[in-house]
Amino acid sequence: MHRTIARAALPLLLSSLTSLAGSLVVTSVLGRHDTGALAAFALTMAVHSPASMAVMGGLRGLAPFVAPFRDDPLAAIPVLRDARWLALLIGTAGAVVVACVPLIASLGGSGVEGFGVLPYALGASLLVSASNGGANTVLVSLGRGRQVLWASVAATAVVVALVPFTVARWELAGAGLAFLCSSLAGVTVANLALRAALGRPVGRGRPRVREILRICRVSLPLSGTLLIKFAGLGVLAYAAARTGVTGSAGHAILYALSGFLMVPAIAVSQAAVPEIARADDMRSRRHTARAALTLAAGAAGIGAAVVPLLGGPLLRLFTADEAVRGLVTAVVGIMLVSTLAEAGSAVMGSGGRRGAWGPSRSGTACSRSSRLPWRLRVDWVRCGWRCS
């Protein structure tokens, strides 16, 4: 089972790494361009991340519904149409919230200004991603995870190619434009791959309210859990911003590094859900979940060991500000412990959803499993405030 999950997770891992590479490039370019711009970007992403995670969670709930149709993909088309209606509803709500970032920042007393059109561009990017309708999740569930890699490569190539030039010319607005173009490229390639897998376009049918609600019973607990978790991390980003621009920029770098270390766990959790959904009995499902947890923890542990070894050279890629680098160095240990805890939470939370295991309190289990990472993140903000 370890080999089965690892083979399925490898293209997803590479896909996530390429996507994250794009985010790291944006963070690095903005950090070296202007610390204030990086702080504004960090606060915008503090709202964008929970919204995008809510959409992602809602779409990942598709996996148990699509996995049984691996041998007959065309039979899954009605489910995909229902999922697109759900994704657009969640995505529209998320895009509106992201567009309100300047107002949220003002009410929160962060002191960070100069957002420009970045919140609107990221809101549009989120809406474009939602219109994807879970194409990547469907490809994974149908056993075509390699196709997801090409969609991610296309999106990353666009953002990496554009952001150095757009930021130099339009600053934060340029970063938003690069993200929007990246989303368009990724969605286009993913939908072309899905069309090739199905042999025909998905199209749009009339919304089947009963079936959409059936998907919601699986998707919304996971979506809500991710929303709560990442909203909590967003609150921490605003708490860091209240310590000053240096604290906000330092938090942005720590968050980027944490995301990089979380990639293997997320890839493994995605690959494990279809296998759990197809298992014949509870014993097989538990065995699959344990195998996934072992793989995720091992990969995250290796990454956590590498970050301290790279140390200074790695941080110099993100910023030339000595104060920001010193702040990150002071609290990086807490971030690494937090990330290891989150790796286990990601796998057990995904494997514990109702669609994969049968009736369960998946949302409650995920929420409880995320308490340790939350407390550790609070500690790193407190420590950073004391060191700043």
Side-chain angles (χ1 to χ4, degrees), residues 151-203:
S152 183
V153 167
T156 301
V158 169
V159 75
V160 170
L162 289 180
V163 76
F165 303 101
T166 56
V167 168
R169 182 161 185 175
W170 297 299
E171 298 186 343
L172 279 177
L177 177 62
F179 266 105
L180 180 57
C181 293
S182 173
S183 296
L184 288 169
V187 167
T188 300
V189 174
N191 277 280
L192 288 175
L194 181 59
R195 179 171 182 169
L198 298 176
R200 55 164 291 185
V202 175

Side-chain angles (χ1 to χ4, degrees), residues 28-299:
S28 177
V29 170
L30 286 173
R32 298 183 70 84
H33 175 75
D34 179 60
T35 300
L38 179 57
F41 176 74
L43 289 188
T44 306
M45 292 303 292
V47 178
H48 179 271
S49 292
S52 62
M53 285 298 107
V55 174
M56 184 184 300
L59 294 178
R60 284 185 181 177
L62 274 176
F65 293 96
V66 177
F69 299 110
R70 177 173 290 189
D71 298 326
D72 185 18
L74 288 176
I77 287 180
V79 178
L80 306 186
R81 290 173 176 170
D82 296 333
R84 288 192 169 183
W85 286 107
L86 177 62
L88 284 175
L89 289 174
I90 300 175
T92 300
V96 170
V97 174
V98 173
C100 294
V101 163
L103 176 61
I104 297 172
S106 176
L107 294 176
S110 66
V112 177
E113 299 177 349
F115 293 95
V117 300
L118 177 66
Y120 309 110
L122 288 181
S125 173
L126 177 62
L127 194 56
V128 168
S129 298
S131 69
N132 192 21
N136 290 338
T137 299
V138 174
L139 288 169
V140 173
S141 301
L142 295 177
R144 297 175 180 264
R146 293 183 181 180
Q147 302 300 321
V148 177
L149 175 60
W150 300 118
S152 183
V153 167
T156 301
V158 169
V159 75
V160 170
L162 289 180
V163 76
F165 303 101
T166 56
V167 168
R169 182 161 185 175
W170 297 299
E171 298 186 343
L172 279 177
L177 177 62
F179 266 105
L180 180 57
C181 293
S182 173
S183 296
L184 288 169
V187 167
T188 300
V189 174
N191 277 280
L192 288 175
L194 181 59
R195 179 171 182 169
L198 298 176
R200 55 164 291 185
V202 175
R204 288 204 183 276
R206 296 178 62 182
R208 303 184 301 170
V209 178
R210 181 175 297 179
E211 296 302 320
I212 292 174
L213 291 176
R214 182 167 172 256
I215 297 174
C216 286
R217 283 196 292 269
V218 176
S219 297
L220 292 187
L222 179 61
S223 179
T225 299
L226 292 175
L227 176 61
I228 292 170
K229 180 175 182 177
F230 280 84
L233 297 180
V235 170
L236 292 182
Y238 276 83
R242 290 178 68 87
T243 68
V245 172
T246 298
S248 183
H251 183 271
I253 295 173
L254 287 167
Y255 191 82
L257 293 175
S258 175
F260 186 80
L261 297 178
M262 278 293 296
V263 164
I266 294 173
V268 168
S269 69
Q270 284 184 274
V273 169
E275 301 301 327
I276 294 173
R278 286 191 295 270
D280 296 328
D281 52 45
M282 187 61 68
R283 182 178 180 181
S284 299
R285 293 170 182 170
R286 287 173 178 165
H287 176 68
T288 303
R290 283 195 295 268
L293 180 60
T294 302
L295 288 171

